Structure formats: C-alpha cells, structure tokens
Amino acid sequence: METLQLPPQWSTFARQTDWVFYFIYYLSVAFFVAICAAMVYFVWKYRRKPGVMSEPSGHNNLLEIGWTVSPLVLLVFLFHVGYRGYVDLTMPPADAMEIRVRARKWAWDFEYANGGHATVLHVPVHRPVKLILSSEDVIHSLYIPAFRVKRDAVPGYYSTMWFEATQTGETDFFCTEYCGAAVGTSEYREGDPNVGREGDRRHTGHFSMIGRVKIETRAEFSTFLESILRPPTDPATGREVSPEVWGSLIYRSSQCNTCHSIDGSAMTGPSWRGLFGRSREFVDGTNRVADANYLRESILQPNAHVVRGFNGVMPSFAGTLRDQQIDALIAYIRTLR
Ligand code: HEC
Ligand SMILES: [Cu+2]
C-alpha cells in the first residue's frame, strides 16, 4: 500500500521493508511521547517546595534491570528483522534472470542476455531479476524506490542487486549520487569536469541519470526482447543504421574485439582484416575460401574448422546471436579489406 511517506509496494521486499520502517517509526513515536510525559510529570512532581529538602534516593534493582534488559530484547529483535531483510536483499535466487547494468557519466545502460541494450529498464512481472552493476568512471547508485532496492555501481567492481516485481506498471529509477549541476543554474560552471560529452550538454550530473522502469507481462517482455535485437536507429537520420554499421557495433558489444583485431594483427584469434574471400587453411590440413557460409559456420560452430596457427578457444555464439546479427557481422567483415 502506498502511504504518505512511502511509494507503492511493487516488489516482494516492499512489505517487509515497510513493516520494519513503520515499526521503528512508531516505536520512536511511542518512546518520544512516553519520555516527554515522564519528564513533565517528574518536573512537576519533584518541583521545589518550601520546607522540603532533596535527599539522595535509594537504589532500585528491579527498575535498573528492567530498563537494561527490555531495550536489549527490543534491539536484538530489531537486529534480527534487519539482518533477515538484509540477507533476503543480498541473496538472489539461483534462477534469477540476469541483466547487466553499466553506469557512466551520465547514463545507465541495461544489457540483456540476448545482447540487446536499452535505456529503459524493462523487467518481467513475478520473476526474480538480478542486476549486475558496474561503472565506467565514478561511483553511481541505482535506486528503484517502488521495489525498495538500491545499490552502488563502483568502478572496477561488480555489485549485484535483485528484486521480484509483484505487479505490472511503470515507475522511476534514480541515481542517488546527487552531485552535479544543470545548465542555467547558479551551480553550473562551463568546463566543469562533471559536464557530459559534447552533444549532451543537458546531462551534467548524477541527478539527470533518471529513467523509467517498465514492469511487463511475459508476452510484453518477450516482444521487448525481440525489439532490442533490431538495428539501433541513427539519431541523425532517424532511421535504422546499415547492416555494416550494426555489425561494427556488435563486434564491440558481443566482445569479438577481445580476440579479433580489424587492423591485421593476430590476437587470440585471426584478424578480420582482408578475411573475406581469402583462402583459409585449417589445422587438419584442409582449405576453404572464407565466404559468407564459412563465416556463419565460424560463428555458430567455431570448432568445425580451426584456423591453422590458432587454438579452438572461440565460444559458439549459437543462441546468443540471431540470424540478422550474424548477417550484420558478415556485412561488416566484408568491408574490412
Ligand atoms: C575467446 C576469443 C574469441 C572470441 C571472443 C571470438 N572469437 Fe572468433 N575466433 C577465435 C579463435 C581462436 C579463432 C580461430 C580458431 C577457429 O577457427 O576456431 C576464431 C575464428 C573466427 C572466425 C574465422 C576466422 C578466420 O580467420 O578464418 C570468425 C569469422 C570468427 N572467429 C568470428 C567471431 C565473431 C563474429 C565473434 C564475436 C561474436 C568472435 N569470433 C568472438 C577466438 C575468438
Ligand atoms: Cu550517477
């Protein structure tokens, strides 16, 4: 339930978290009222009266033990519920769906298991989702109030958070590193290192790293997953980029670039420069011309033909890359003369 102080409860954590919050809150209210009332009462009761001298009072064991033990019990109880909540929050179920989250100045990127990217966080309802966060520059912090989850994205470190949404709808996420200044405000200074890259002048701080979370049904979510595998649109023309350009993007996003260069130098795998149409020699002594069918096979079954001078260490991209993406990669390799 949404209250004056708290956003709607849209994850399985929300009720427990809010219960602890309100328990501590009303406990504080109760103690505040009780302590003030006792204070006022004693001030009045032991006020100075003519002819009465104050005397040192006696020692009351029962009272002393009572006010030592009862807070102890209360605090151990609070520790227990807090710790249990913490364990729940930090231990994602083994079958959770993973989404890779990359933070940088000043945007979040969500990468899905199929290799697609989005700037809006789409999640399926009633399914545990685990976010794996990292940062490319400074500390950022992803906060989704309706789910009651928040976690720092730290450079050089993977952090994780998870949740299970309990209903469909749209809500907000924030970066809770609040520093930065907007163009046109008094805090803004030209040349400030917190100013984003050329072209995104509006984005000058963590406060602009906000966005939408869309909680979708199973069917809506799979439609979304399909859509992010289409070529991205070029902001300049408003149209989808060409297959060659898309291929060059997949070369990086699918990390082919960690093993294949495009400048002719051999890395873990052969360079792609001049690859298309060249005769390839394999460790078993056979040959084949690198045509589109060969490139396709190399991506889906890398060990069917292992290039001489290399080891069969390339992972298969079957099931990870879709037909269209493989076409785009081939189109890109063709341009590398
Ligand atoms: C872990 C390193 C590694 C990654 C990552 C990798 N490859 Fe490979 N790749 C290799 C190695 C090693 C070979 C050579 C051995 C073989 O043929 O299996 C190879 C061979 C190839 C070939 C044949 C090259 C030739 O000269 O005949 C193609 C095409 C290819 N990879 C495409 C890709 C694509 C596309 C990706 C990314 C989606 C990719 N590779 C990711 C290691 C890698
Ligand atoms: Cu940030």
Side-chain angles (χ1 to χ4, degrees):
M1 194 189 41
E2 189 171 354
T3 66
L4 194 63
Q5 297 178 45
L6 297 174
Q9 299 174 325
W10 279 8
S11 83
T12 50
F13 295 133
R15 293 183 74 179
Q16 169 73 2
T17 306
D18 294 2
W19 185 87
V20 179
F21 173 81
Y22 277 117
F23 183 78
I24 295 175
Y25 177 83
Y26 285 117
L27 196 67
S28 309
V29 170
F31 270 105
F32 177 77
V33 171
I35 289 168
C36 285
M39 194 175 68
V40 169
Y41 171 71
F42 287 133
V43 163
W44 174 77
K45 182 171 183 201
Y46 297 110
R47 68 191 183 280
R48 185 190 291 247
K49 291 178 200 135
V52 180
M53 287 292 290
S54 64
E55 287 168 39
S57 69
H59 189 82
N60 191 325
N61 273 334
L62 203 67
L63 205 59
E64 297 234 1
I65 291 168
W67 71 43
T68 307
V69 171
S70 50
L72 187 74
V73 170
L74 206 56
L75 289 177
V76 167
F77 172 72
L78 282 178
F79 173 80
H80 171 76
V81 290
Y83 186 71
R84 207 181 57 189
Y86 174 78
V87 169
D88 285 349
L89 273 168
T90 47
M91 305 278 278
D95 63 345
M97 189 192 85
E98 291 186 358
I99 301 174
R100 186 72 177 78
V101 181
R102 291 190 179 80
R104 63 172 170 83
K105 298 176 189 170
W106 308 104
W108 297 95
D109 174 66
F110 304 105
E111 185 185 314
Y112 291 80
N114 65 6
H117 294 255
T119 49
V120 170
L121 177 59
H122 291 250
V123 297
V125 69
H126 298 313
R127 169 133 191 232
V129 173
K130 175 179 168 187
L131 306 184
I132 302 166
L133 300 98
S134 67
S135 166
E136 290 176 19
D137 35 53
V138 297
I139 296 181
H140 300 277
S141 190
L142 185 65
Y143 178 37
I144 309 171
F147 293 165
R148 310 290 192 275
V149 290
K150 179 159 96 81
R151 190 82 180 169
D152 279 4
V154 182
Y157 178 77
Y158 296 117
S159 47
T160 61
M161 73 189 213
W162 81 279
F163 51 78
E164 182 178 331
T166 50
Q167 72 165 80
T168 55
E170 268 191 51
T171 182
D172 299 299
F173 70 75
F174 301 87
C175 177
T176 43
E177 301 295 338
Y178 286 123
C179 49
V183 175
T185 63
S186 56
E187 297 85 41
Y188 175 78
R189 263 178 301 282
E190 195 61 48
D192 188 310
N194 281 348
V195 173
R197 298 185 185 106
E198 206 55 52
D200 58 11
R201 282 301 187 72
R202 254 173 348 101
H203 293 217
T204 56
H206 295 282
F207 66 83
S208 63
M209 298 174 71
I210 54 177
R212 300 293 275 168
V213 184
K214 281 195 180 160
I215 309 143
E216 299 173 328
T217 62
R218 207 163 272 258
E220 286 167 340
F221 185 69
S222 43
T223 311
F224 158 74
L225 284 182
E226 290 287 314
S227 76
I228 51 174
L229 292 176
R230 302 197 53 72
T233 39
D234 180 346
T237 63
R239 267 185 268 133
E240 287 185 354
V241 298
S242 67
E244 295 82 11
V245 173
W246 193 24
S248 71
L249 298 174
I250 301 168
Y251 167 67
R252 262 169 272 130
S253 63
S254 292
Q255 265 125 44
C256 316
N257 62 347
T258 57
C259 294
H260 296 284
S261 81
I262 51 169
D263 63 1
S265 57
M267 294 163 61
T268 310
S271 177
W272 286 358
R273 181 154 174 226
L275 170 61
F276 194 81
R278 194 199 289 166
S279 173
R280 310 305 291 143
E281 209 179 295
F282 305 114
V283 287
D284 61 6
T286 58
N287 298 289
R288 195 165 159 189
V289 169
D291 56 11
N293 279 318
Y294 166 75
L295 296 181
R296 191 185 164 78
E297 182 203 78
S298 300
I299 296 168
L300 297 175
Q301 298 150 266
N303 290 336
H305 292 92
V306 175
V307 181
R308 165 157 284 165
F310 294 92
N311 297 316
V313 294
M314 175 168 155
S316 166
F317 285 86
T320 321
L321 290 175
R322 312 185 78 221
D323 249 26
Q324 258 198 315
Q325 292 175 301
I326 293 170
D327 291 352
L329 278 165
I330 294 172
Y332 174 56
I333 292 174
R334 286 181 80 142
T335 65
L336 303 169
R337 303 235 152 257

